[in-house]
Amino acid sequence: MKKFILALLILALHECLFAQQQSENMPQRFMYRVSFAPEIGYRTLVSTANEREIAENRDANEIAQIGFTAGIAAEYAFTQNWSLSVGFAYANRGYQTKTAIFNWSAPAQQSPSESYVSYRFGYIDIPILLTYRFRHDRQWTFFATGGAVPSVFLVRSKALFVNTQNTWTSTDNQRGIGYDRFALFLSAEAGAEYTLSDSFALRLGIVGKRAVAASNPNMATQEYLFSGGLNLGFVWRP
């Protein structure tokens, strides 16, 4: 992901320095978009030697979980192909444990049959992204996007889900102790935009994000969150 973003920066710098853009070929300077991305999230664990066994047990018992990112962005085209955008979004990332199955020898009427624990992290994202576009024809434009996503940590939610007689119930515990207030993610995306009119386009991309630093740097077992999925958007060019 770092190499992908670095390549975009080098190409953008080259075009700004050497490309001669004709004014009549310039797209609309400003664009705005709304987007929603269902994503699959997980984490990488880095632990001290004393907690290596704990990290190994967590890796064996924790799995990915579905989350999402939803937001808005303003984009400025500084050449025919290159643009810079700044956005504001809410991101829900996390992971969960595998479902535990209970086999009771003599179960009572209200004995649970299965359960799992969900860990979710709420962030306010401020994505700062560089985009390269290549127009294929009048309808289709392909793009590649990369950049940094400064984030503000809001809350960590731990929820226990229990299935009793085919009815799921949950208990939620929200806390953020031990987690940094600010985080930084790297983001990379590739996809296409379908032009509906001179002012509107639909956007679909495959996006991935990864934390640069641990979300809990003061703990013995540190978590590096990452996620990926489909980014669905709507573009307005006034």
Side-chain angles (χ1 to χ4, degrees):
M1 186 177 293
K2 292 181 180 178
K3 293 181 179 179
F4 177 84
I5 295 172
L6 181 60
L8 281 178
L9 289 173
I10 293 173
L11 287 172
L13 180 61
H14 178 274
E15 181 154 335
C16 288
L17 292 176
F18 301 106
Q20 299 297 321
Q21 299 294 337
Q22 300 297 325
S23 59
E24 61 270 17
N25 293 328
M26 280 296 299
Q28 293 92 331
R29 287 285 189 178
F30 287 97
M31 294 171 279
Y32 306 91
R33 68 175 182 269
V34 295
S35 61
F36 176 80
E39 299 171 330
I40 297 176
Y42 197 46
R43 82 293 175 278
T44 300
L45 297 180
V46 176
S47 63
T48 62
N50 293 334
E51 292 210 0
R52 188 165 300 163
E53 185 175 350
I54 295 176
E56 291 174 353
N57 289 335
R58 287 185 57 184
D59 283 337
N61 291 287
E62 293 175 351
I63 58 176
Q65 181 173 246
I66 295 176
F68 69 91
T69 299
I72 58 176
E75 191 169 346
Y76 177 77
F78 53 88
T79 74
Q80 184 177 358
N81 300 107
W82 291 94
S83 61
L84 183 69
S85 66
V86 178
F88 183 85
Y90 174 76
N92 185 294
R93 306 180 176 99
Y95 53 90
Q96 68 179 61
T97 64
K98 296 178 180 178
T99 301
I101 307 297
F102 304 112
N103 295 312
W104 305 96
S105 56
Q109 185 175 3
Q110 297 299 320
S111 298
S113 58
E114 54 186 337
S115 70
Y116 68 91
V117 179
S118 169
Y119 301 92
R120 291 191 177 274
F121 301 80
Y123 284 92
I124 294 295
D125 287 352
I126 307 173
I128 304 171
L129 305 174
L130 186 66
T131 297
Y132 176 80
R133 282 183 174 83
F134 172 76
R135 186 157 189 169
H136 178 66
D137 54 32
R138 290 179 61 87
Q139 268 72 48
W140 290 99
T141 300
F142 299 100
F143 67 87
T145 297
V149 185
S151 302
V152 180
F153 172 68
L154 298 177
V155 69
R156 171 184 180 265
S157 174
K158 178 182 177 181
L160 172 64
F161 290 84
V162 178
N163 184 5
T164 304
Q165 294 184 326
N166 296 320
T167 300
W168 285 95
T169 58
S170 66
T171 56
D172 196 1
N173 177 25
Q174 295 187 347
R175 59 189 296 270
I177 300 174
Y179 290 84
D180 269 3
R181 176 60 62 184
F182 301 101
L184 180 65
F185 292 81
L186 295 180
S187 176
E189 181 182 0
E193 295 173 347
Y194 181 79
T195 300
L196 300 174
S197 68
D198 290 340
S199 299
F200 298 103
L202 296 176
R203 178 184 173 103
L204 175 63
I206 299 175
V207 63
K209 305 185 191 80
R210 183 176 179 83
V212 174
S215 56
N216 56 342
N218 297 320
M219 296 184 182
T221 299
Q222 299 178 353
E223 302 173 348
Y224 292 76
L225 298 174
F226 62 89
S227 60
L230 289 177
N231 194 12
L232 314 172
F234 188 73
V235 182
W236 174 48
R237 305 183 183 99

